[in-house]
Amino acid sequence: MVDTEQVPTHVANARVAPMKPQRVLACILCQQRKVKCDRKFPCSNCTRAGTQCVPGHAVTTRQRRRRFPERDLLDRIRRYEDLLRKNNIPFEPLHGNSTDIATPETADTSQHPSPLENTGSSEYSPRDESGDNGPPKAGFINIWNAWSQSGSPDGSDDNDDEDHDSDSSQVRVRHATVKKALEHMFEKGDDHLLFGARASLNDLSALHPPQVQIFRFWQIYLDNVNPLLKVTHTPTLQPRIINAIGNLGSIEPALEALMFSIYCVALISITEAECRTSFGSERGHLLANYSFGCQQALLKSGILRTTERECLTAFYIYLISIKAESEPRALSTMLGVAVRLAQHMRMHSESANAKYPALEAEMRRRLWWSLAAFDARVSEQSDFKGGIMCPGWDCSIPSNVNDFDLRPEMKVAPASQEKITEATFAVVRSELADFVRNCSYYLDFINPLLKPVAHVSAKSGDLSTLTKSIEEKYLTHCDERNPLHFMIIWVTRSYLAKHTLFEQYQKQWRSDMVVTEEQRDVALCHALDMFVADTNLISSPLVSGYYQYVATLFPFPAYLHVVQDLRRRAHGKHAQRAWDTMSKNYEVRCMTGWWDPVDNPMTKIVHKAVVQAWSAYEKLAQESGREVSPPFFVTSMQTKSMQMNPALQTREAPQDANFLPFQSADVPTDMDLDLGGNNAQFNFDFLDPMQQPIGGFQSTTNSSAVDLDLKQLDFTGLGWNSVRAPRW
């Protein structure tokens, strides 16, 4: 005999394990009625009904339904792939929606993990806390994974013994199942919340332009818009548009919405004269028609619950096209819808993007960064500091590659190139924004509480290091004779000069040291660099197709900084250069039609500040016995100020410290600083930290010129879009 004491315990237990008792089924009548049976014979339900009770085992036992073996195998493979992905083990996923080869670099490229990021793929389970599996992983826990892992000791979902009759045991609840159930509950739709009820017109083909004009719109988009946005993939989109033109009545809803949005954004990128020449109609009339078509196509595609990147792209381009006519706060709210849709698609999460094929992953990154940049610019104008251009997400910067380098069949993304490509403008913009959104000085203006989750590299670096890196990596390879390269050079330099200026503000605001003349000169030079960049962009015929974008780069912060510095230091080392630089910028903007002093309250503020600064400069010169003649732009602004306020023409202007040369209703109170783009938002308290807040400044020349209290102005009430040409 075998000694049972020498037999392993689990074997002995298996030998003496009791037989599993036979399962008692509900009676036949209770099964048919779908009521609970007490499983006695006769049962209480049959006794109460006075009917014959037939036990369930008395009839032929039906074959128990089991899951298909293929489904079980696929579930297991999916579970094992998740484990490999969590442990950064290279593998090639099985399914078509994850055809890119997952590697440690692509499976988890969260270079800067943040507790604010809920990616759903960086979760850890209780098993990770054991000594065998190392320390627990950082990040949020995916509640659906936690529920599934709690179903059995090893976290598996073994449902082979499921019984699907009325007395079946627990069934695993999947996330996708719950989502489908919620969609079914509200299948009537709620898209009317955004654009109102859909029109009765189901076929939108009548709203499209003629075929010849569709090709013309497409070419304008490729020339004027696509190089700056890069949210569409030309090699794959162009054939689809060509095919759609042949049968406009059967276009996919998302593609149709994208086509209408392209019509709209192409229109705002050309002048009124060009529109009449190319399309034989007024731009406003065409824009109204195609905007309506885009709205209807978006409603048709279910925009508020869409999971299609192409549909969201159409919505984003549509919002760009209506920016010129939209109040900033209303546009910011609409843009918030687009951002939330992108977050639902988890575009902000690199671990989610890495699961897609190379082309789709890259387009998701481009769209997310474009949304973030646009949201930052609109948030500035709407006085909203809750935008998404801040730490808390880890979407990778788009790759510096041409569109033709990205193909749908690719499993591995092409390497980012070190030369200038079609996507360089979008790439540089993203790199700059990614650095700035994690900088300490920027977060002091936005939300200092986010500093602990900012990138370590950005917190420890400064803009001078970034400037040198960008110059060496990109700008030195640009050819100024190329329109796109020209834009890359000067938009980048304008951005860097602007943020370096505000970095100086933050340093001086945090410091208790007295500001030196050298520090004032450095800050003034950064402001003048903004003027130089803007003048080069506006005056160059190379960027005529990009004028609508260039118009948004108006150097308003530079004007305010320079005129305040000139009032304090009328004869500083850089005073003459400052007057010459401002004069040249004004002349170029007036010559090209990008200055509208009559209707735009923003230019009225600039006029007053410049005239006051010149008065201080002129008075100091007279006291020193020198004769100075005002530059052209000062004379022009003085004339415009008198035209805006007839009281000045009769020398009867009230001597009130709050007097402005335009109606006070144009400039409400309680203003925060909007920097007119370039992804930053700051408060006027930081505009001149080198002495004291601007409103309390006392002129060193004892000039009687009126002080302009910038903190008493509210940019959200100003006519942001009252310039002569639309801006995007």
Side-chain angles (χ1 to χ4, degrees):
M1 291 182 61
V2 180
D3 189 357
T4 57
E5 295 180 356
Q6 298 179 359
V7 179
T9 304
H10 67 278
V11 176
N13 292 340
R15 292 178 178 177
V16 298
M19 295 294 294
K20 185 176 181 180
Q22 183 178 4
R23 188 175 184 182
V24 178
L25 301 179
C27 70
I28 300 302
L29 187 60
C30 289
Q31 290 185 28
Q32 294 175 349
R33 292 181 176 180
K34 298 186 183 298
V35 297
K36 184 175 179 60
C37 180
D38 59 11
R39 304 178 189 241
K40 297 179 180 179
F41 182 75
C43 70
S44 59
N45 293 332
C46 293
T47 302
R48 191 164 42 251
T51 59
Q52 182 180 3
C53 183
V54 180
H57 62 270
V59 298
T60 303
T61 304
R62 65 179 177 179
Q63 185 69 25
R64 184 176 56 190
R65 290 180 294 179
R66 300 171 61 89
R67 292 189 302 171
F68 291 109
E70 292 83 358
R71 177 182 173 185
D72 180 69
L73 290 174
L74 290 175
D75 288 343
R76 291 176 181 271
I77 291 174
R78 187 183 301 111
R79 189 179 310 119
Y80 297 150
E81 287 182 352
D82 290 340
L83 292 174
L84 292 172
R85 190 174 290 109
K86 292 176 185 177
N87 291 278
N88 295 335
I89 299 175
F91 72 98
E92 183 173 355
L94 175 65
H95 299 91
N97 60 351
S98 300
T99 55
D100 54 328
I101 297 178
T103 64
E105 289 76 14
T106 59
D108 185 10
T109 53
S110 305
Q111 300 173 359
H112 312 285
S114 166
L116 298 182
E117 165 60 21
N118 185 0
T119 64
S121 63
S122 59
E123 67 279 350
Y124 68 92
S125 67
R127 292 174 292 160
D128 294 328
E129 299 179 356
S130 63
D132 296 337
N133 294 324
K137 298 180 180 180
F140 276 84
I141 301 175
N142 186 309
I143 189 61
W144 295 96
N145 285 1
W147 280 334
S148 65
Q149 290 170 358
S150 65
S152 60
D154 62 351
S156 63
D157 179 30
D158 188 3
N159 287 331
D160 289 345
D161 293 331
E162 291 178 1
D163 191 346
H164 292 270
D165 59 20
S166 60
D167 300 305
S168 63
S169 58
Q170 297 185 24
V171 178
R172 179 181 179 185
V173 180
R174 297 181 179 275
H175 187 195
T177 304
V178 176
K179 289 177 63 176
K180 290 181 179 179
L182 289 174
E183 293 174 359
H184 181 72
M185 289 174 60
F186 303 99
E187 61 183 355
K188 292 183 179 180
D190 44 21
D191 291 324
H192 63 279
L193 297 176
L194 188 61
F195 295 123
R198 283 183 57 184
S200 57
L201 182 65
N202 292 324
D203 186 4
L204 303 179
S205 59
L207 299 178
H208 285 273
Q211 292 185 2
V212 175
Q213 293 187 4
I214 293 178
F215 284 111
R216 198 167 296 161
F217 278 123
W218 174 244
Q219 190 60 50
I220 293 174
Y221 170 81
L222 293 180
D223 293 339
N224 298 349
V225 182
N226 186 57
L228 304 183
L229 299 185
K230 298 305 297 180
V231 293
T232 55
H233 186 246
T234 304
T236 55
L237 179 58
Q238 181 165 294
R240 296 177 60 206
I241 291 180
I242 294 175
N243 293 334
I245 292 176
N247 189 1
L248 293 175
S250 60
I251 308 179
E252 299 175 4
L255 177 59
E256 189 166 35
L258 182 58
M259 292 175 64
F260 275 112
S261 68
I262 289 175
Y263 306 155
C264 295
V265 79
L267 279 172
I268 71 164
S269 70
I270 59 177
T271 64
E272 183 69 37
E274 291 173 335
C275 181
R276 288 182 177 274
T277 302
S278 299
F279 305 105
S281 182
E282 295 182 359
R283 184 173 59 182
H285 175 70
L286 294 177
L287 190 59
N289 289 342
Y290 298 143
S291 294
F292 174 76
C294 187
Q295 293 175 9
Q296 294 303 308
L298 288 171
L299 290 173
K300 188 177 179 181
S301 60
I303 179 62
L304 287 183
R305 59 175 69 186
T306 185
T307 57
E308 295 184 61
R309 174 186 54 82
E310 190 168 72
C311 184
L312 179 58
T313 301
F315 186 39
Y316 162 65
I317 296 177
Y318 166 76
L319 292 179
I320 288 180
S321 69
I322 65 172
K323 179 182 184 298
E325 305 300 330
S326 301
E327 200 276 332
R329 286 168 293 189
L331 182 61
S332 178
T333 303
M334 293 279 286
L335 188 53
V337 175
V339 171
R340 182 54 59 88
L341 287 171
Q343 290 174 329
H344 279 308
M345 300 180 199
R346 299 182 63 210
M347 291 184 179
H348 62 292
S349 169
E350 185 55 31
S351 61
N353 293 334
K355 297 178 182 179
Y356 287 85
L359 173 59
E360 179 65 18
E362 181 64 18
M363 299 311 299
R364 286 166 60 92
R365 297 184 189 105
R366 291 183 183 182
L367 180 55
W368 173 257
W369 278 100
S370 295
L371 282 169
F374 190 38
D375 178 65
R377 188 161 73 242
V378 175
S379 294
E380 297 163 8
Q381 297 181 351
S382 59
D383 190 26
F384 178 64
K385 296 186 178 182
I388 59 173
M389 191 59 74
C390 60
W393 44 271
D394 66 344
C395 179
S396 294
I397 296 172
S399 300
N400 186 32
V401 295
N402 293 308
D403 280 358
F404 283 97
D405 296 329
L406 292 166
R407 298 185 299 275
E409 69 274 9
M410 297 180 69
K411 294 185 177 181
V412 180
S416 187
Q417 301 182 21
E418 297 182 357
K419 63 180 182 180
I420 304 301
T421 68
E422 300 170 357
T424 300
F425 185 91
V427 171
V428 174
R429 178 187 61 188
S430 302
E431 285 196 19
L432 294 174
D434 188 48
F435 185 92
V436 168
R437 74 186 177 104
N438 292 279
C439 282
S440 176
Y441 88 89
Y442 177 81
L443 295 177
D444 272 336
F445 291 108
I446 301 300
N447 188 352
L449 297 178
L450 294 176
K451 287 184 178 181
V453 299
H455 299 186
V456 176
S457 59
K459 289 192 294 185
S460 59
D462 55 25
L463 284 174
S464 60
T465 304
L466 176 65
T467 301
K468 182 179 179 181
S469 173
I470 294 296
E471 286 280 351
E472 295 176 352
K473 187 176 180 181
Y474 297 108
L475 303 191
T476 56
H477 301 288
C478 290
D479 181 3
E480 291 197 14
R481 296 169 297 181
N482 183 292
L484 182 59
H485 293 197
F486 190 87
M487 282 285 292
I488 294 171
I489 293 173
W490 291 109
V491 171
T492 301
R493 288 176 178 171
S494 174
Y495 185 97
L496 290 170
K498 174 182 174 180
H499 281 275
T500 305
L501 175 63
F502 285 103
E503 185 182 40
Q504 295 292 323
Y505 290 166
Q506 186 260 2
K507 290 179 180 178
Q508 298 303 328
W509 186 266
R510 295 297 186 190
S511 175
D512 296 331
M513 303 295 293
V514 178
V515 181
T516 65
E517 289 297 309
E518 182 179 359
Q519 290 173 326
R520 293 180 186 274
D521 289 337
V522 170
L524 179 61
C525 288
H526 290 313
L528 296 179
D529 288 341
M530 293 177 61
F531 279 117
V532 172
D534 183 72
T535 301
N536 287 334
L537 286 170
I538 291 294
S539 61
S540 175
L542 292 174
V543 297
S544 58
Y546 307 138
Y547 272 157
Q548 311 302 326
Y549 181 89
V550 172
T552 65
L553 305 180
F554 179 74
F556 184 75
Y559 269 105
L560 295 184
H561 181 93
V562 171
V563 296
Q564 293 296 326
D565 187 89
L566 290 174
R567 289 178 61 186
R568 290 177 171 85
R569 304 187 301 159
H571 291 288
K573 181 170 63 174
H574 300 286
Q576 189 59 46
R577 178 195 169 196
W579 286 113
D580 293 342
T581 304
M582 284 194 300
S583 180
K584 186 176 181 180
N585 181 262
Y586 177 85
E587 292 174 10
V588 169
R589 279 194 166 263
C590 286
M591 179 178 61
T592 54
W594 293 110
W595 192 286
D596 192 355
V598 177
D599 300 324
N600 192 349
M602 296 300 298
T603 56
K604 297 176 184 178
I605 296 175
V606 175
H607 285 183
K608 181 169 179 60
V610 170
V611 170
Q612 290 179 0
W614 177 257
S615 298
Y617 177 80
E618 188 177 38
K619 184 172 184 179
L620 187 61
Q622 292 174 355
E623 292 176 354
S624 62
R626 295 187 302 109
E627 290 292 334
V628 292
S629 57
F632 164 76
F633 86 108
V634 174
T635 304
S636 176
M637 289 184 178
Q638 289 173 338
T639 303
K640 296 295 183 181
S641 296
M642 291 184 179
Q643 292 176 355
M644 288 184 287
N645 195 309
L648 294 178
Q649 301 178 15
T650 59
R651 302 290 182 178
E652 297 178 356
Q655 300 299 317
D656 183 1
N658 294 322
F659 171 73
L660 296 174
F662 45 89
Q663 297 298 321
S664 60
D666 292 338
V667 187
T669 59
D670 189 21
M671 177 182 72
D672 278 344
L673 173 61
D674 169 7
L675 300 181
N678 290 348
N679 309 333
Q681 177 183 352
F682 305 91
N683 186 286
F684 262 124
D685 291 341
F686 295 91
L687 186 59
D688 194 353
M690 301 184 180
Q691 282 253 353
Q692 50 185 321
I694 293 175
F697 167 71
Q698 298 295 329
S699 174
T700 56
T701 62
N702 295 322
S703 171
S704 60
V706 180
D707 283 342
L708 180 62
D709 189 351
L710 299 175
K711 294 194 296 179
Q712 292 182 358
L713 305 179
D714 182 4
F715 276 21
T716 61
L718 298 180
W720 282 100
N721 298 316
S722 58
V723 292
R724 190 172 283 124
R727 306 180 299 172
W728 58 277

